[in-house]
């Protein structure tokens, strides 16, 4: 049995709590609510609004893919005891997170600081176990693969020409472009990408589908500006980098990043990466992962690639890839685009300190501030591929800017008063909860009643006693209490050196004593 969203500690349970909005989400009828948010087909999933919610969270049911396996022991994501009240300014008005969700077509929102989840929201009936597609956010993962390959000497230099690793591109313009210039989207090759279905990107995809990726790349062979001198976004350049990784490492992109990133990062769920008929990953898009694992990636980036004292990502490469000071002036914020700069397949935010983003069409983004260890993950189903053609782009950035500044107000939970008897019961919750799940918990901790020569009842009792003795050794903090007649609803949290343990239960009052009642979690 796999416990996707649970972390077991001896005798206790960490609950991964989240909020799934019950309010009407924007345009939910248009997006297919009446039909259960269906997903589309190979032909229509990208453009069809009526299947956008379903397609963007079920893409691995539509396209061929490979799996990156979750870690055996997922890394801990701590959670704030209560979601703080956050506010931001947009177009002269003040808004809350609730307002943001009701105003924008957001499927998932995750805000973390110092590795702790502050906000986790879903709507359009999406859940924590849904794998959301990255679109172009995965370009940054492909960039990290280049960094890993440099580190392990599979790639000699970023100034190597692509044709060194892809002889089939020798004599073609893209083959004569350096890896560094491909990373910066500065090949100078003529290529249009506006997502209207009539651009070079659509033509490229058609040739790729009917023939193969290499022939599609070879089709675009006219250099209109000197390479390395101008930022010009074209997804074909990332496709070339993906092929370089496969050639240089002798591994598929999925296998390579499963080994280098996904497992070492401590992913809690499998990810999938779409592939073509020849087995090449779509290095420029169509990676699929749960929201919290995107949060883990963002947090790893915020810590400059370090996790629990271990350097997971190649630090020098990451710093160069995400700092505008390391780029020529043409790639600085305000120069590459009106707002963002561009590094090595990472968008770089304006301002003196290093902040950057992974961005995909239709509202996918991971914003990262290494200085404050702040991360915001958003998945969406925007009306437009370019979210700056509607309000989502600037409003998301306004929320992020408020989180970074003193404009973000955080209101702590008020002090709660509870009946004295309830506190006395909190330390026994592990045993009360465990009564229905203790057999699975015993298996998790390799307890064998036959081996130990004890009957099951005796061993269960002994195991539970040890479990809640462990719990009682820590101080419990109540985060929510609601009393209705002789019933009390309680949420509590305990902080241990192993992480946060969260419990949720009900009590019933009989006379002047309180007892555990109903379902416990």
């Amino acid at each position: 049995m796999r416990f996707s969203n649970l972390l077991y500690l001896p005798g206790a349970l960490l609950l991964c709590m989240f909020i799934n909005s019950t309010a009407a989400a924007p345009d939910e009828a248009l997006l297919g609510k009446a039909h259960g948010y269906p997903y589309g087909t190979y032909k229509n999933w990208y453009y069809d609004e009526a299947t956008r919610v379903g397609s963007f969270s079920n893409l691995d049911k539509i396209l061929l893919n490979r799996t990156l396996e979750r870690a055996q022991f997922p890394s801990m994501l701590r959670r704030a005891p209560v979601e703080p009240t956050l506010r931001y300014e947009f177009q002269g008005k003040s808004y809350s997170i609730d307002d943001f969700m009701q105003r924008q077509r957001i499927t998932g929102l995750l805000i973390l600081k110092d590795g702790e989840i502050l906000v986790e929201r879903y709507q359009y009936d999406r859940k924590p176990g849904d794998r959301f597609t990255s679109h172009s956010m995965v370009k940054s993962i492909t960039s990290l693969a280049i960094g890993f390959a440099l580190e392990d000497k599979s790639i000699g230099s970023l100034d190597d020409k692509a044709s060194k690793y892809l002889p089939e591109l020798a004599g073609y313009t893209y083959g004569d472009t350096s890896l560094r210039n491909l990373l910066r989207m500065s090949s100078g090759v003529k290529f249009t990408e506006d997502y209207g279905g009539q651009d070079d990107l659509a033509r490229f995809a058609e040739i790729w589908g009917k023939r193969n990726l290499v022939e599609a790349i070879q089709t675009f062979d006219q250099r209109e500006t000197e390479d390395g001198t101008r930022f010009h976004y074209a997804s074909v350049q990332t496709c070339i980098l993906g092929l370089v990784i496969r050639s240089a490492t002798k591994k598929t992109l999925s296998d390579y990043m499963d080994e280098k990133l996904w497992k070492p990062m401590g992913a809690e769920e499998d990810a999938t990466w779409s592939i073509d008929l020849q087995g090449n990953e779509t290095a420029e898009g169509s990676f699929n992962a749960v929201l919290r694992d995107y949060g883990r990636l963002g947090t790893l980036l915020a810590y400059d690639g370090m996790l629990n004292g271990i350097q997971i990502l190649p630090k020098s490469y990451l710093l160069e890839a995400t700092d505008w000071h390391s780029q020529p002036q043409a790639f600085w914020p305000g120069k590459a685009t009106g707002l963002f700069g561009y590094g090595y397949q990472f968008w770089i935010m304006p301002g003196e300190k290093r902040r950057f983003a992974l961005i995909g069409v239709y509202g996918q983004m991971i914003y990262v501030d290494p200085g404050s260890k702040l991360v915001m993950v958003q998945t969406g189903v925007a009306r437009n591929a370019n979210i700056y053609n509607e309000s989502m782009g600037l409003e998301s950035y306004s929320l992020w800017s408020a989180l970074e500044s003193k404009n973000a107000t955080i209101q702590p939970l008020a002090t709660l008063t509870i009946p004295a008897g309830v506190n006395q019961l909190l330390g026994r919750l592990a045993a009360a909860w465990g009564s229905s799940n203790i057999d699975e918990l015993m298996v998790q901790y390799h307890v064998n009643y036959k081996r130990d020569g004890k009957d099951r009842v005796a061993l269960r009792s002994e195991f539970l006693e040890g479990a809640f003795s462990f719990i009682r050794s820590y101080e419990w903090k109540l985060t929510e209490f609601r009393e209705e007649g002789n019933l009390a609803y309680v949420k509590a949290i305990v902080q241990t050196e192993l992480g946060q343990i969260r419990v949720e239960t009900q009590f019933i009052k009989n006379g002047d004593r309180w007892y555990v009642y109903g379902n416990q979690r």
Side-chain angles (χ1 to χ4, degrees):
M1 182 174 182
R2 295 174 60 172
F3 301 94
S4 300
N5 300 312
L6 306 179
L7 172 67
Y8 281 110
L9 298 177
L13 177 65
L14 173 65
L15 288 178
C16 295
M17 305 299 293
F18 63 92
I19 296 176
N20 199 322
S21 176
T22 57
D27 302 326
E28 57 185 17
L30 179 65
L31 291 165
K33 181 177 182 179
H35 302 286
Y37 297 112
Y39 57 85
T41 66
Y42 175 83
K43 293 184 177 180
N44 73 352
W45 72 269
Y46 190 80
Y47 292 108
D48 182 17
E49 263 196 310
T51 63
R52 189 164 294 167
V53 170
S55 296
F56 286 12
S57 51
N58 290 279
L59 193 57
D60 45 19
K61 296 177 183 176
I62 302 172
L63 303 179
L64 297 173
N65 61 81
R66 283 197 182 93
T67 298
L68 290 77
E69 294 183 351
R70 69 179 190 173
Q72 183 179 3
F73 302 104
S75 59
M76 172 73 73
L77 281 183
R78 295 175 290 109
R79 183 177 297 274
V82 65
E83 180 182 296
T85 300
L86 304 172
R87 301 197 68 84
Y88 65 98
E89 300 289 327
F90 181 64
Q91 296 180 341
K93 295 183 180 180
S94 176
Y95 295 106
S96 67
I97 296 293
D98 286 339
D99 296 328
F100 180 68
M101 299 296 287
Q102 291 168 20
R103 287 169 53 81
Q104 299 297 341
R105 287 160 50 156
I106 306 298
T107 50
L109 179 68
L110 188 68
I111 300 171
L112 309 96
K113 191 176 191 312
D114 301 315
E116 180 178 71
I117 296 175
L118 302 181
V119 173
E120 183 176 6
R121 299 288 192 96
Y122 301 88
Q123 60 183 2
Y124 301 108
D125 297 340
R126 302 305 92 181
K127 301 291 191 298
D130 287 324
R131 279 194 286 265
F132 297 97
T133 197
S134 65
H135 290 304
S136 290
M137 291 196 302
V138 79
K139 287 181 169 71
S140 304
I141 294 179
T142 300
S143 172
L144 294 175
I146 294 288
F148 282 123
L150 271 173
E151 186 177 56
D152 63 23
K153 309 301 183 185
S154 299
I155 289 176
S157 168
L158 292 186
D159 295 315
D160 289 344
K161 303 293 187 182
S163 58
K164 176 178 178 179
Y165 305 94
L166 301 172
E168 57 269 42
L169 292 185
Y172 290 90
T173 307
Y174 275 127
D176 194 42
T177 303
S178 71
L179 303 183
R180 192 185 307 277
N181 288 337
L182 291 170
L183 285 163
R184 285 181 177 145
M185 295 281 188
S186 61
S187 67
V189 176
K190 184 178 180 181
F191 192 94
T192 59
E193 186 164 336
D194 58 25
Y195 314 106
Q198 303 298 320
D199 56 3
D200 285 338
L201 179 64
R203 182 178 166 219
F204 172 76
E206 182 180 9
I207 298 170
W208 186 357
K210 289 181 177 179
R211 298 184 227 169
N212 58 63
L213 178 55
V214 170
E215 287 191 45
I217 293 168
Q218 292 170 340
T219 301
F220 298 88
D221 199 38
Q222 179 185 347
R223 201 188 301 275
E224 59 182 359
T225 59
E226 181 183 353
D227 56 323
T229 62
R230 184 190 71 167
F231 170 75
H232 182 68
Y233 191 87
S235 292
V236 59
Q237 297 176 85
T238 317
C239 293
I240 298 168
L241 295 171
L243 291 177
V244 167
I245 290 295
R246 184 166 188 171
S247 174
T249 66
K250 312 305 180 189
K251 296 179 180 179
T252 68
L253 196 48
S254 296
D255 288 346
Y256 191 60
M257 293 307 277
D258 177 274
E259 168 195 336
K260 294 288 191 178
L261 174 66
W262 209 245
K263 285 191 179 76
M265 181 187 77
E268 71 177 60
E269 289 291 354
D270 294 347
T272 58
W273 204 331
S274 297
I275 59 175
D276 65 14
L277 294 175
Q278 290 75 43
N280 298 304
E281 280 80 1
T282 53
E284 82 292 354
S286 302
F287 184 90
N288 311 286
V290 300
L291 199 68
R292 291 177 196 149
D293 283 337
Y294 284 132
R296 284 179 171 86
L297 174 59
T299 299
L300 183 64
L301 292 168
Y303 280 83
D304 295 333
M306 182 170 286
L307 174 65
N308 297 329
I310 300 172
Q311 190 67 38
I312 305 297
L313 302 179
K315 185 174 180 179
S316 60
Y317 177 87
L318 177 61
L319 295 179
E320 186 175 327
T322 57
D323 190 344
W324 64 263
H325 298 85
S326 299
Q327 315 305 324
Q329 187 172 353
F331 304 90
W332 290 0
K335 299 289 187 179
T337 73
L339 178 62
F340 293 110
Y342 204 76
Y344 296 161
Q345 305 279 301
F346 285 88
W347 296 92
I348 302 176
M349 297 182 192
E352 189 60 29
K353 68 176 183 175
R354 185 172 63 95
R355 298 166 306 136
F356 54 91
L358 297 70
I359 298 177
V361 291
Y362 293 107
Q364 327 315 310
M365 61 184 65
I366 302 174
Y367 285 162
V368 181
D369 182 348
S372 61
K373 303 297 184 285
L374 182 68
V375 175
M376 186 174 98
V377 182
Q378 173 186 299
T379 57
V381 287
R383 297 170 185 83
N384 299 284
N386 184 347
I387 60 173
Y388 289 93
N389 289 336
E390 58 184 270
S391 63
M392 180 188 283
L394 289 178
E395 187 158 3
S396 295
Y397 194 75
S398 295
L399 171 58
W400 166 254
S401 298
L403 294 172
E404 287 194 295
S405 72
K406 295 180 181 179
N407 293 329
T409 56
I410 303 178
Q411 300 176 3
L413 186 71
T415 302
L416 298 168
T417 57
I418 60 170
V422 172
N423 262 334
Q424 297 169 12
L425 286 175
L426 287 175
R428 298 167 56 191
L429 281 177
W433 170 82
S435 61
S436 62
N437 295 276
I438 190 63
D439 290 320
E440 291 174 356
L441 195 58
M442 288 165 65
V443 169
Q444 181 83 3
Y445 285 91
H446 311 292
V447 177
N448 188 317
Y449 69 95
K450 292 181 179 179
R451 179 197 63 201
D452 295 339
K454 301 177 182 178
D455 63 48
R456 183 180 296 272
V457 174
L459 192 59
R460 282 164 59 97
S461 177
E462 180 180 308
F463 188 84
L464 285 173
E465 177 61 32
F468 65 74
S469 292
F470 170 84
I471 294 299
R472 282 200 301 266
S473 65
Y474 296 96
E475 180 180 354
W476 287 77
K477 177 182 178 182
L478 193 70
T479 58
E480 184 176 338
F481 176 78
R482 184 175 72 253
E483 188 175 356
E484 298 175 358
N486 67 335
L487 290 177
Y489 174 70
V490 174
K491 289 184 181 180
I493 188 170
V494 59
Q495 180 71 47
T496 78
E497 68 270 15
L498 297 178
Q500 289 183 340
I501 301 169
R502 306 174 69 84
V503 291
E504 176 181 341
T505 193
Q506 285 181 304
F507 296 104
I508 188 168
K509 188 175 185 180
N510 185 3
D512 59 354
R513 299 190 66 183
W514 292 86
Y515 299 87
V516 175
Y517 173 76
N519 295 324
Q520 296 84 41
R521 291 191 289 172

